[in-house]
Amino acid sequence: MCRWLAYSGSPVSVHDLLYKPENSLVVQGQHSRLGAETTNGDGFGIGWYGFGETPGVFHSIEPAWNDRNLRDISAQIESPLVFAHIRASSGTPIQQTNCHPFRHGRRLWMHNGLIREFHAVKRDLVLEVDPALYPEIEGSTDSEVLFFLALTFGLEDDPPGAVARAVGLVEETGRRYGVEHPIQMTVATTDGANVWAFRYSSEGASRSLFYSTDVSTLRHQYPDNPVLHGLSDESRLVVSEPLGDLAGAWNEVPESSWGVIREGQDELHHFVPRPPSA
Amino acid sequence: MCRWLAYSGSPVSVHDLLYKPENSLVVQGQHSRLGAETTNGDGFGIGWYGFGETPGVFHSIEPAWNDRNLRDISAQIESPLVFAHIRASSGTPIQQTNCHPFRHGRRLWMHNGLIREFHAVKRDLVLEVDPALYPEIEGSTDSEVLFFLALTFGLEDDPPGAVARAVGLVEETGRRYGVEHPIQMTVATTDGANVWAFRYSSEGASRSLFYSTDVSTLRHQYPDNPVLHGLSDESRLVVSEPLGDLAGAWNEVPESSWGVIREGQDELHHFVPRPPSA
Amino acid sequence: MCRWLAYSGSPVSVHDLLYKPENSLVVQGQHSRLGAETTNGDGFGIGWYGFGETPGVFHSIEPAWNDRNLRDISAQIESPLVFAHIRASSGTPIQQTNCHPFRHGRRLWMHNGLIREFHAVKRDLVLEVDPALYPEIEGSTDSEVLFFLALTFGLEDDPPGAVARAVGLVEETGRRYGVEHPIQMTVATTDGANVWAFRYSSEGASRSLFYSTDVSTLRHQYPDNPVLHGLSDESRLVVSEPLGDLAGAWNEVPESSWGVIREGQDELHHFVPRPPSA
Amino acid sequence: MCRWLAYSGSPVSVHDLLYKPENSLVVQGQHSRLGAETTNGDGFGIGWYGFGETPGVFHSIEPAWNDRNLRDISAQIESPLVFAHIRASSGTPIQQTNCHPFRHGRRLWMHNGLIREFHAVKRDLVLEVDPALYPEIEGSTDSEVLFFLALTFGLEDDPPGAVARAVGLVEETGRRYGVEHPIQMTVATTDGANVWAFRYSSEGASRSLFYSTDVSTLRHQYPDNPVLHGLSDESRLVVSEPLGDLAGAWNEVPESSWGVIREGQDELHHFVPRPPSA
């Protein structure tokens, strides 16, 4: 439904990140190779950490490939942690409040996929959002509701646990309405230091998700590639689809799993939703 | 907060309605005389009855005075029943789904004013919306929630009663949260045949609202005014502020009242909210 | 580069024209079958004849498949002569003044293709535009300049001759700058009564163009197709690509030719540019 | 017609510059005190120097007071040289290519005022633009044409001389068409190091323009004002109207004059247009 990328590492030019790769996110807007849709032209957004506590976000309803502001603004941003997302709407309106990444305080969230039969289950799900958080919901997407459910269930303290509970609730609610496979998702979320990524779907056939190989390994493999020398060893990308064809550079995130990218050792685990009734 | 007009009568050019009067709605966008704000540039919308059961709507996030499409499209529409609204946001985002008039089936709804402390009371109000209607809420304004409350309370069958109950609920809810004057409003709603207009505020000092004098009376008064000869006797306007200075042409809608414009005799009544606890 | 359709015949719902066919223009926005690009998401426009002398136009920078106003407004328009265009920019900005159809007085104009090396030849071409017309140029596209050249060379009186001279000038100018194949085009233009269509390219390999078969013939062929019974015998479509798979319904406009659709006998001729030096 | 500000000095938050002052540029969008119009809601733009040779620009067709991206992006930019502009169109379309500041290479340009009877004189003026620069003109405003005339006449090497020649040409051309007072302007332009500001009008009654008093002087005057302690001695603002009421903080730029702000001594001179025939 959408395409996204998350970058963490040495500060990079957001422009280089978005426009330079052969199969860059901007290229994927018109010619996604692995997406459910080849076109992802229903708005876009970027989020990044820079000045102040709150990350910057820029949302637009134009296709990313057209947006001159994106080209210009991204060239003026260098950041060690960047989220970028291009949207293919599953029906909700094209408006800035429906563009990812969504932000709450210092947190960002973006999602590819959908909550099935969202129209039917929306009210029940929204009722589970913490009343103190409820008025912060600004748009009308399933993705933002999923974010607010995760916030309700403790995203600040235990992201994998909070997402497991949010997904468990979505599945249990959907099934109550007769939805066979209530959720399809890849999700990235960050607190400005760590990036958590999730790949899961009720049907066990999730949207594609990849993470980049350790830069030091790649540098050994490609000693003459100048791009790789500008990056710290810890730099890492998580992407809906590979940004290019460099052999060995990309690893698929396994079905039903979550991982965390952070200073020190990254981790990869099995993901199991936690339904409220459990 | 906003400015609106409702027209019912012989088919008119929407372009003439919006642009020709001396103090037209488009002029009011930059120079409102009686509004809470002189500028109403936060998007606009029109709704009209033409082909098919569903009225047409056109919503834009640009100021009305700039919008070339409005100029062009309105020149291609003649309609016997037109709603038009220019917005001055009280905080919610500028997006098409927040532009009036709101539509549900054959009904239109527009509002000038606000639900005070909407952030605090929103969840409680939304919970009162009929669950079958809830997923149809598309935007994030207080005005749309008020519309859905009215729909929940029977707007289809008894508009004055439904609005009285919706306003009663808003007041009772607001006061529970310590809001002294929970609502301020002028509202217009229509089913495509009749137009109901409401002027009310908890503090008894409501936004301005006017209705036009009977055309046959005006024609007697101004036998040489050509505009008046193109209109049927039943043609009537309800507006946030007079569209011009023709003496005798405009009557203030009294404080705390509602009226209906329709074929046959128009009516004007006292408006009393009906709180749920009553 | 773009996709367009021109309709002339019994009044039709613009909504039906744009959304109902299997391979409708709106579908072509994301999945063009025969276009140079599969995505045509860089804005769109419609033009139609209705009230008054001047045709209505509606231009938007959003992709057509997203635009809720298009869906709504088109459902409120019935017209005997409709132009519609979805854009894939060849580099010029996405803004309403660059959206087709362009309008001058009662005339509309739309174009698929490009003037090659437009950056290099633009000034020379613009200098040939009638100084009285020059200030009416509002956007920055090659397509609009081509329109104003045709207007300069007599589009009002002799459309095929004027277009032949405009194209001749573009070719002669381009070649002076070393451009091998200066123009690629399908063009439609109308005065509100007749529709002229052109298919031509300097390299003799022009973008696809089709016209619909005579409705009475189709009706004989498909006596049970209800759509065909709603249309007058004279109804005709010219389109960048067929709107569906009905066998026998579409004929390719031959390479290097122009035709006119009008009351009475339609015509189809060879198209030969007329360079100024000739 | 418009309002603008130019800042040069110690790096500042663009957000603070745009939103914090009592009569900030964003406030002036709805309530300009000294402007020809109280509303300046026809788009806006900012330009700033940061990464790379080319300054960043962000242009939007929304009113500045509405734009959430402006609020967010500006909070992520600190820059020693910032231009900001809010537009009140004198008739040309609201589109990003008509938003100031205009950019050419490392230069920025913004303008408040107008070329009178631009429709009549536009072609003659555009013909004087260097043919090598001509294709870079992207929008349709008088302000951009004035910029390109200044570039043609040597803005890179001698800004005051180039502007004098551009204005001289505009006046001579306008008078040829019977325009009594061909130009009204305040202009700011920069090469990333120096800022030149101009105040001039053919009628000798130019739009307001002010520059800030030397910061060290202000600091003596207001030893307790914390804002003044964050700024370097060389920090300077040039603005269409004062951003606040601090006595002694603002000096009017005299009628018919130009000044330059730069490291070392600032300068202020009489401005005299240089007509081509002179």
Side-chain angles (χ1 to χ4, degrees):
Chain A
M1 301 288 155
C2 305
R3 305 276 88 187
W4 57 257
L5 74 74
Y7 172 86
S8 166
S10 15
V12 285
S13 155
V14 176
H15 185 274
D16 290 359
L17 203 57
L18 292 183
Y19 292 91
K20 287 221 171 147
E22 180 198 345
N23 184 37
S24 73
L25 199 68
V26 171
V27 168
Q28 292 172 40
Q30 285 179 287
H31 306 287
S32 164
R33 297 172 181 182
L34 304 181
E37 297 279 349
T38 52
T39 310
N40 295 271
D42 301 339
F44 70 87
I46 57 174
W48 71 96
Y49 293 81
F51 293 101
E53 270 302 290
T54 310
V57 295
F58 171 41
H59 290 150
S60 167
I61 61 169
E62 289 188 58
W65 66 81
N66 271 344
D67 202 282
R68 296 186 161 208
N69 285 321
L70 178 61
R71 204 171 280 273
D72 246 76
I73 290 163
S74 66
Q76 294 295 329
I77 308 171
E78 284 191 8
S79 172
L81 207 169
V82 182
F83 272 28
H85 185 278
I86 55 175
R87 190 168 174 237
S89 167
S90 52
T92 43
I94 314 308
Q95 54 193 25
Q96 289 184 13
T97 53
N98 284 351
C99 292
H100 311 221
F102 300 100
R103 178 177 62 188
H104 188 259
R106 193 162 167 77
R107 302 221 157 233
L108 294 175
W109 173 278
M110 58 188 173
H111 170 225
N112 167 27
L114 78 168
I115 295 176
R116 291 203 177 82
E117 304 294 335
F118 183 55
H119 210 258
V121 300
K122 183 176 182 183
R123 187 172 185 273
D124 284 13
L125 295 180
V126 166
L127 284 187
E128 298 296 326
V129 170
D130 180 346
L133 291 169
Y134 172 85
E136 311 291 336
I137 299 177
E138 288 210 310
S140 53
T141 62
D142 49 357
S143 305
E144 191 187 18
V145 169
L146 191 61
F147 178 33
F148 274 82
L149 289 173
L151 285 166
T152 298
F153 294 140
L155 187 65
E156 311 271 335
D157 301 315
D158 170 17
V163 175
R165 289 182 59 196
V167 171
L169 176 71
V170 169
E171 290 198 324
E172 203 164 284
T173 306
R175 279 169 191 146
R176 211 164 57 231
Y177 283 85
V179 185
E180 192 180 357
H181 301 306
I183 196 166
Q184 168 64 256
M185 74 175 208
T186 66
V187 158
T189 187
T190 179
D191 57 3
N194 312 282
V195 175
W196 292 265
F198 301 82
R199 183 179 182 216
Y200 178 77
S201 59
S202 308
E203 63 267 44
S206 303
R207 297 280 186 268
S208 61
L209 193 65
F210 296 82
Y211 62 99
S212 61
T213 297
D214 184 85
V215 173
S216 61
T217 311
L218 279 176
R219 227 184 269 127
H220 277 287
Q221 217 177 325
Y222 301 94
D224 303 330
N225 188 317
V227 174
L228 300 169
H229 290 273
L231 296 175
S232 72
D233 283 10
E234 306 248 334
S235 296
R236 202 60 68 94
L237 276 160
V238 186
V239 295
S240 293
E241 54 188 82
L243 305 184
D245 295 327
L246 199 61
W250 301 100
N251 313 282
E252 196 171 19
V253 174
E255 183 60 52
S256 302
S257 59
W258 69 268
V260 58
I261 292 169
R262 58 180 173 199
E263 221 175 324
Q265 192 56 48
D266 297 345
E267 293 177 23
L268 191 59
H269 299 270
H270 194 57
F271 177 81
V272 186
R274 258 186 255 163
S277 61
Chain B
M1 301 286 154
C2 305
R3 304 277 88 186
W4 57 255
L5 75 74
Y7 172 85
S8 166
S10 15
V12 286
S13 156
V14 176
H15 184 275
D16 290 358
L17 204 56
L18 293 182
Y19 292 91
K20 287 222 172 146
E22 181 198 346
N23 183 37
S24 74
L25 199 68
V26 171
V27 168
Q28 292 172 39
Q30 287 180 286
H31 307 285
S32 164
R33 297 173 181 182
L34 302 181
E37 299 279 349
T38 52
T39 310
N40 295 272
D42 301 339
F44 69 87
I46 56 173
W48 71 97
Y49 293 82
F51 293 101
E53 269 304 290
T54 310
V57 294
F58 171 41
H59 290 149
S60 167
I61 62 169
E62 289 188 59
W65 66 81
N66 271 344
D67 202 280
R68 295 186 163 209
N69 285 321
L70 178 61
R71 204 171 281 272
D72 246 75
I73 290 164
S74 66
Q76 294 295 329
I77 307 170
E78 284 191 7
S79 172
L81 208 169
V82 182
F83 273 29
H85 185 279
I86 55 175
R87 192 169 172 237
S89 167
S90 52
T92 42
I94 315 307
Q95 54 193 25
Q96 289 183 14
T97 53
N98 283 352
C99 291
H100 311 221
F102 300 100
R103 178 178 61 189
H104 188 261
R106 192 162 167 79
R107 300 222 159 232
L108 294 175
W109 173 278
M110 58 188 173
H111 170 225
N112 168 27
L114 77 167
I115 294 177
R116 291 203 176 82
E117 305 294 334
F118 183 54
H119 210 257
V121 299
K122 183 177 181 183
R123 186 172 186 272
D124 284 13
L125 295 180
V126 167
L127 285 186
E128 299 296 327
V129 171
D130 180 347
L133 291 170
Y134 172 84
E136 311 291 337
I137 300 177
E138 288 210 310
S140 53
T141 61
D142 49 356
S143 304
E144 192 187 17
V145 169
L146 191 61
F147 179 33
F148 274 81
L149 289 173
L151 285 166
T152 298
F153 294 139
L155 187 65
E156 310 272 337
D157 301 315
D158 171 17
V163 174
R165 289 183 60 196
V167 171
L169 176 71
V170 169
E171 291 198 322
E172 200 163 287
T173 306
R175 279 169 192 147
R176 210 163 58 231
Y177 284 85
V179 185
E180 192 181 356
H181 301 307
I183 196 165
Q184 167 65 256
M185 75 178 206
T186 66
V187 158
T189 187
T190 179
D191 58 3
N194 312 282
V195 175
W196 292 265
F198 301 81
R199 184 181 181 214
Y200 178 76
S201 58
S202 308
E203 64 267 44
S206 303
R207 298 278 187 270
S208 60
L209 193 64
F210 296 83
Y211 62 99
S212 61
T213 297
D214 186 87
V215 174
S216 61
T217 311
L218 281 176
R219 228 184 267 126
H220 277 286
Q221 217 176 327
Y222 300 94
D224 303 330
N225 187 318
V227 174
L228 301 169
H229 289 272
L231 296 175
S232 72
D233 283 9
E234 305 249 332
S235 296
R236 199 62 65 98
L237 275 159
V238 186
V239 295
S240 294
E241 54 189 83
L243 305 184
D245 296 327
L246 199 61
W250 301 99
N251 313 282
E252 196 170 20
V253 174
E255 183 60 54
S256 302
S257 60
W258 68 268
V260 58
I261 292 169
R262 59 180 173 198
E263 221 174 322
Q265 191 57 47
D266 298 345
E267 292 177 23
L268 189 59
H269 299 271
H270 193 55
F271 177 80
V272 186
R274 259 185 256 162
S277 62
Chain C
M1 300 288 157
C2 306
R3 304 277 87 186
W4 56 255
L5 74 73
Y7 172 85
S8 165
S10 14
V12 286
S13 155
V14 176
H15 184 275
D16 290 358
L17 204 56
L18 293 182
Y19 292 91
K20 287 221 171 147
E22 179 198 346
N23 184 39
S24 74
L25 199 68
V26 170
V27 169
Q28 292 173 41
Q30 286 179 287
H31 306 287
S32 163
R33 297 173 181 183
L34 302 181
E37 299 278 350
T38 51
T39 310
N40 296 270
D42 301 338
F44 70 86
I46 57 173
W48 71 96
Y49 294 81
F51 293 101
E53 269 303 291
T54 310
V57 295
F58 171 41
H59 291 149
S60 167
I61 61 170
E62 288 188 59
W65 66 80
N66 271 344
D67 203 280
R68 296 187 162 207
N69 285 320
L70 177 61
R71 204 172 280 273
D72 246 75
I73 290 164
S74 66
Q76 293 295 330
I77 308 170
E78 283 191 7
S79 172
L81 207 168
V82 182
F83 273 28
H85 185 277
I86 54 175
R87 191 169 173 237
S89 167
S90 52
T92 42
I94 314 308
Q95 53 193 25
Q96 288 184 14
T97 54
N98 284 351
C99 292
H100 311 222
F102 300 100
R103 177 178 62 188
H104 188 259
R106 193 162 166 78
R107 301 221 157 232
L108 294 175
W109 173 278
M110 58 187 173
H111 170 224
N112 167 27
L114 78 167
I115 295 177
R116 292 203 177 82
E117 305 293 336
F118 183 54
H119 211 258
V121 300
K122 183 176 181 182
R123 187 172 185 272
D124 284 13
L125 294 179
V126 167
L127 285 186
E128 298 296 326
V129 170
D130 180 347
L133 291 169
Y134 172 84
E136 310 291 336
I137 299 177
E138 289 209 310
S140 53
T141 62
D142 49 356
S143 305
E144 191 187 18
V145 169
L146 191 62
F147 179 31
F148 274 82
L149 289 172
L151 286 166
T152 298
F153 295 139
L155 187 65
E156 310 272 336
D157 301 316
D158 171 18
V163 174
R165 289 183 60 195
V167 171
L169 176 71
V170 169
E171 291 199 322
E172 202 165 283
T173 306
R175 280 172 190 143
R176 211 163 57 230
Y177 283 84
V179 185
E180 193 182 355
H181 300 308
I183 197 166
Q184 167 66 255
M185 72 178 210
T186 67
V187 159
T189 188
T190 178
D191 57 3
N194 312 282
V195 175
W196 292 266
F198 302 81
R199 184 180 182 215
Y200 178 76
S201 59
S202 307
E203 64 268 44
S206 303
R207 297 278 187 271
S208 60
L209 194 64
F210 296 83
Y211 63 98
S212 62
T213 297
D214 186 86
V215 172
S216 62
T217 312
L218 280 176
R219 228 183 268 125
H220 277 287
Q221 219 177 324
Y222 301 95
D224 302 331
N225 187 317
V227 175
L228 300 169
H229 290 273
L231 296 174
S232 71
D233 282 9
E234 307 248 333
S235 296
R236 200 62 66 95
L237 276 160
V238 186
V239 294
S240 293
E241 54 188 82
L243 305 184
D245 295 327
L246 198 61
W250 302 100
N251 314 282
E252 196 172 18
V253 174
E255 182 60 54
S256 301
S257 59
W258 67 269
V260 57
I261 292 169
R262 59 181 172 198
E263 221 175 322
Q265 191 57 47
D266 297 345
E267 292 177 24
L268 191 58
H269 299 271
H270 194 55
F271 177 79
V272 186
R274 259 185 253 162
S277 63
Chain D
M1 301 283 154
C2 305
R3 303 277 87 186
W4 57 256
L5 75 74
Y7 172 85
S8 166
S10 13
V12 285
S13 155
V14 176
H15 184 275
D16 289 358
L17 204 56
L18 293 182
Y19 292 91
K20 287 221 171 148
E22 180 198 345
N23 184 37
S24 74
L25 199 68
V26 170
V27 168
Q28 292 172 40
Q30 287 180 285
H31 307 287
S32 164
R33 297 173 181 182
L34 303 181
E37 299 279 349
T38 51
T39 310
N40 296 270
D42 301 338
F44 70 86
I46 57 173
W48 71 97
Y49 293 81
F51 293 101
E53 270 303 291
T54 310
V57 294
F58 171 41
H59 291 150
S60 167
I61 62 169
E62 288 188 61
W65 67 81
N66 271 343
D67 202 280
R68 296 187 161 207
N69 285 319
L70 178 61
R71 205 171 279 272
D72 246 76
I73 290 164
S74 66
Q76 293 296 328
I77 308 171
E78 283 191 8
S79 172
L81 208 168
V82 181
F83 274 27
H85 185 278
I86 55 174
R87 191 168 173 237
S89 168
S90 52
T92 42
I94 314 308
Q95 54 193 25
Q96 289 184 13
T97 54
N98 284 350
C99 291
H100 311 223
F102 300 100
R103 177 177 63 186
H104 188 260
R106 193 162 167 77
R107 299 221 159 234
L108 293 176
W109 173 277
M110 57 188 173
H111 170 225
N112 168 26
L114 78 166
I115 295 178
R116 291 204 176 81
E117 305 293 334
F118 183 55
H119 211 257
V121 299
K122 183 176 181 183
R123 188 173 186 272
D124 284 12
L125 294 179
V126 166
L127 285 186
E128 299 297 326
V129 170
D130 180 348
L133 291 169
Y134 172 84
E136 311 291 337
I137 299 176
E138 288 210 310
S140 53
T141 61
D142 49 356
S143 304
E144 191 188 18
V145 169
L146 191 62
F147 179 31
F148 274 81
L149 288 173
L151 286 166
T152 298
F153 294 139
L155 187 66
E156 309 273 336
D157 301 316
D158 171 18
V163 174
R165 289 183 59 195
V167 171
L169 176 71
V170 169
E171 291 198 323
E172 202 165 284
T173 306
R175 280 168 191 147
R176 210 163 59 231
Y177 283 85
V179 184
E180 192 181 357
H181 300 307
I183 197 166
Q184 167 66 256
M185 74 178 207
T186 67
V187 159
T189 187
T190 178
D191 57 3
N194 311 283
V195 174
W196 292 266
F198 302 81
R199 183 181 182 214
Y200 178 76
S201 59
S202 307
E203 63 268 44
S206 304
R207 297 281 186 267
S208 60
L209 194 65
F210 296 83
Y211 62 98
S212 61
T213 297
D214 186 85
V215 173
S216 61
T217 312
L218 280 176
R219 230 184 265 127
H220 277 287
Q221 218 177 325
Y222 300 95
D224 303 330
N225 187 318
V227 174
L228 299 170
H229 289 272
L231 295 175
S232 73
D233 283 8
E234 306 249 333
S235 295
R236 200 62 65 96
L237 274 160
V238 187
V239 295
S240 293
E241 56 188 82
L243 305 184
D245 295 327
L246 199 61
W250 301 99
N251 313 282
E252 195 171 19
V253 175
E255 182 60 53
S256 302
S257 59
W258 68 269
V260 57
I261 292 170
R262 59 181 173 196
E263 220 175 322
Q265 191 56 49
D266 296 345
E267 292 177 24
L268 191 59
H269 298 271
H270 194 55
F271 177 79
V272 185
R274 259 185 255 163
S277 62

